[in-house]
Amino acid sequence: MNEKQNSHTQESWEDDKDKFFVPIPENQKKLLENPKCNFSLLSPRIVGWKKDKDGLKVNDQVMDRILTKGNSSLKTIRSLLQKKHIWQKDYLESIEKSGGKAATIRATLTGPFITGLGAGHPTETGMILDRNLGVPYIPASSIKGVLRLACAINIARKEGKTEVSDAHPQLVKFFGSADTSQGSRGQVMFLDAYPEGNVELQLDIMNPHYGKYYSGENKQPVETESPIPIKFISVPAGTVFVFRAVCLPLADGAFTDDEVKALEAAFDTAFEMVGFGGKTAIGYGRFTRSSGGQKPAVGSVAPAPAKKELEIGEYEAVVEDKDKKKLRVTFKIKQNGVEVTAIRMPCEKKTFDKLKKKDKVTVKIDGKKDYEGNYVVVKII
């Protein structure tokens, strides 16, 4: 805490009540206020305070402040988020090469999404964020829990039951058993689900009307109380998340076609009926598949848009675009009548400055692609 902050006394709060008080060292405060700061650090720490008749409270403008800086910082990590998707995609491909099955399912939010609303936070309206990337995500453990419930719902429907035993063969095979006498691991593993492309956040609000009733001050809810709006941050509808799962069967546990279909159906029920995150009862966290109307089969990664496959080698290319902020250069390569996109990022500063749009150059490709399906340029010749 800096000297100025230390000088604040209870009496001086009245004079400075409209100013932000940040109870952290000054150098850390400046770091966190940087627009490029990781949002997972920014969100729980940059909190403003004010003093009113009831004492010291969180400034009601703090969410606007966090949101403004948060969206700025999220825009700077798109390339890192793409790498996360590439790592997950490569892992799924390695599973398939070793004889396992994998699934990639893209789903679009039909309503806002919030997770970790009750997490520890000075505003008591937190959000679960990836520790390193600072983006909202859905933890694998949460996905597993939702899919297990969705699968149980589907089993109950199919078998005409109102309850499904934890020992049901399908639940045990997919999600494992905690029964100590015959415990077994689940043969379906879920990966964390991350947003696809740019990540945006929005300011949301809940408006409890019976605060004194909920706090126990009143025995009954009455209409004489004034509602107190509570702000929180959510992911807006229209955001696409990528869900990934792999089937890792035991020696005698090969997946049948019916079991594959059951797992697909569980995703549908989870998206449309159960929901992910908080406030699902009022429509939050609901999804619809976003794969062009087709349901990608569990057992194969959803195909990327068809493009001409380039082998490892050197190709003539034209500079199509330059992003000075990211030192990113976009190239177009025409091969056998088909045009493909290739990306060099980051590009060496000296080379970047020399290149101009529409320049013709030779680029070297190693056959790898980024998450968007663009070829990665390993060298500009």
Side-chain angles (χ1 to χ4, degrees):
M1 194 178 297
N2 60 35
E3 183 177 347
K4 182 179 179 181
Q5 291 167 340
N6 269 327
S7 68
H8 280 297
T9 63
Q10 186 68 24
E11 293 75 17
S12 67
W13 275 111
E14 289 300 327
D15 298 329
D16 295 339
K17 63 182 180 180
D18 294 327
K19 296 181 180 180
F20 282 110
F21 173 72
V22 183
I24 57 175
E26 181 68 19
N27 60 343
Q28 185 179 357
K29 172 177 177 288
K30 290 180 179 179
L31 173 65
L32 294 175
E33 287 182 330
N34 187 316
K36 295 184 179 180
C37 172
N38 185 321
F39 186 50
S40 66
L41 297 176
L42 175 69
S43 174
R45 288 172 173 78
I46 293 295
V47 176
W49 303 87
K50 68 177 181 180
K51 186 179 185 299
D52 61 16
K53 61 180 182 179
D54 297 320
L56 193 62
K57 290 188 174 181
V58 173
N59 192 309
D60 57 9
Q61 299 176 355
V62 67
M63 281 298 173
D64 304 82
R65 176 186 174 110
I66 291 175
L67 183 64
T68 300
K69 290 185 175 295
N71 275 330
S72 298
S73 65
L74 290 174
K75 291 176 181 178
T76 66
I77 53 84
R78 177 168 180 171
S79 62
L80 297 177
L81 183 58
Q82 287 178 344
K83 289 181 180 179
K84 173 66 76 171
H85 284 294
I86 292 171
W87 293 338
Q88 288 192 346
K89 178 175 175 289
D90 288 346
Y91 174 68
L92 263 61
E93 290 178 348
S94 70
I95 292 295
E96 290 190 313
K97 288 178 181 178
S98 62
K101 295 184 177 181
T104 297
I105 299 177
R106 291 171 177 80
T108 304
L109 279 170
T110 58
F113 168 75
I114 176 68
T115 179
L117 194 59
H121 190 279
T123 65
E124 298 182 0
T125 54
M127 175 181 282
I128 294 177
L129 302 165
D130 181 274
R131 179 181 180 276
N132 297 317
L133 295 179
V135 299
Y137 77 112
I138 308 176
S141 57
S142 297
I143 298 172
K144 181 177 180 179
V146 172
L147 263 291
R148 190 183 188 284
L149 174 58
C151 190
I153 291 173
N154 289 347
I155 293 171
R157 285 174 169 176
K158 182 179 180 180
E159 300 181 0
K161 298 179 179 179
T162 56
E163 294 185 5
V164 178
S165 170
D166 289 339
H168 190 283
Q170 194 172 92
L171 293 181
V172 172
K173 182 168 185 176
F174 287 0
F175 307 102
S177 171
D179 187 339
T180 55
S181 64
Q182 53 181 4
S184 63
R185 70 165 175 83
Q187 297 177 47
V188 179
M189 184 179 74
F190 302 93
L191 278 62
D192 296 333
Y194 288 89
E196 183 178 49
N198 287 333
V199 182
E200 293 290 338
L201 298 172
Q202 66 181 12
L203 194 63
D204 215 326
I205 190 171
M206 56 180 125
N207 206 18
H209 284 66
Y210 311 112
K212 293 183 179 180
Y213 168 67
Y214 295 131
S215 66
E217 189 175 342
N218 287 347
K219 293 184 177 180
Q220 299 292 336
V222 293
E223 297 291 346
T224 56
E225 291 185 51
S226 298
I228 303 176
I230 300 174
K231 297 177 181 179
F232 63 95
I233 294 172
S234 66
V235 181
T239 303
V240 177
F241 277 76
V242 184
F243 295 80
R244 294 183 171 91
V246 294
C247 301
L248 301 171
L250 298 173
D252 58 348
F255 278 69
T256 66
D257 290 342
D258 287 343
E259 287 172 333
V260 169
K261 291 178 181 178
L263 189 56
E264 286 185 352
F267 269 104
D268 289 330
T269 300
F271 290 150
E272 298 168 10
M273 289 186 58
V274 183
F276 294 82
K279 304 174 79 69
T280 54
I282 56 174
Y284 281 65
R286 303 298 179 88
F287 288 84
T288 183
R289 289 189 188 239
S290 54
S291 53
Q294 297 180 351
K295 298 178 181 179
V298 176
S300 61
V301 177
K307 288 186 178 181
K308 174 68 177 177
E309 296 296 326
L310 299 183
E311 298 178 354
I312 298 174
E314 298 177 1
Y315 296 87
E316 293 297 319
V318 176
V319 178
E320 183 184 56
D321 193 24
K322 294 174 62 180
D323 186 335
K324 186 175 181 179
K325 188 174 182 180
K326 298 179 180 179
L327 291 179
R328 169 181 170 131
V329 183
T330 304
F331 301 92
K332 284 295 183 184
I333 301 174
K334 288 186 178 181
Q335 186 74 9
N336 298 329
V338 178
E339 188 175 70
V340 299
T341 303
I343 303 292
R344 175 65 173 172
M345 184 180 76
C347 179
E348 295 80 2
K349 184 69 165 59
K350 186 182 295 186
T351 303
F352 182 90
D353 292 338
K354 288 181 179 179
L355 292 174
K356 297 180 181 179
K357 288 187 178 182
K358 298 185 179 181
D359 278 356
K360 293 182 179 181
V361 296
T362 301
V363 297
K364 185 176 180 179
I365 303 294
D366 66 356
K368 295 181 179 179
K369 297 181 182 180
D370 65 14
Y371 180 63
E372 295 178 324
N374 302 312
Y375 282 93
V376 176
V377 174
V378 295
K379 187 177 181 180
I380 301 173
I381 302 171

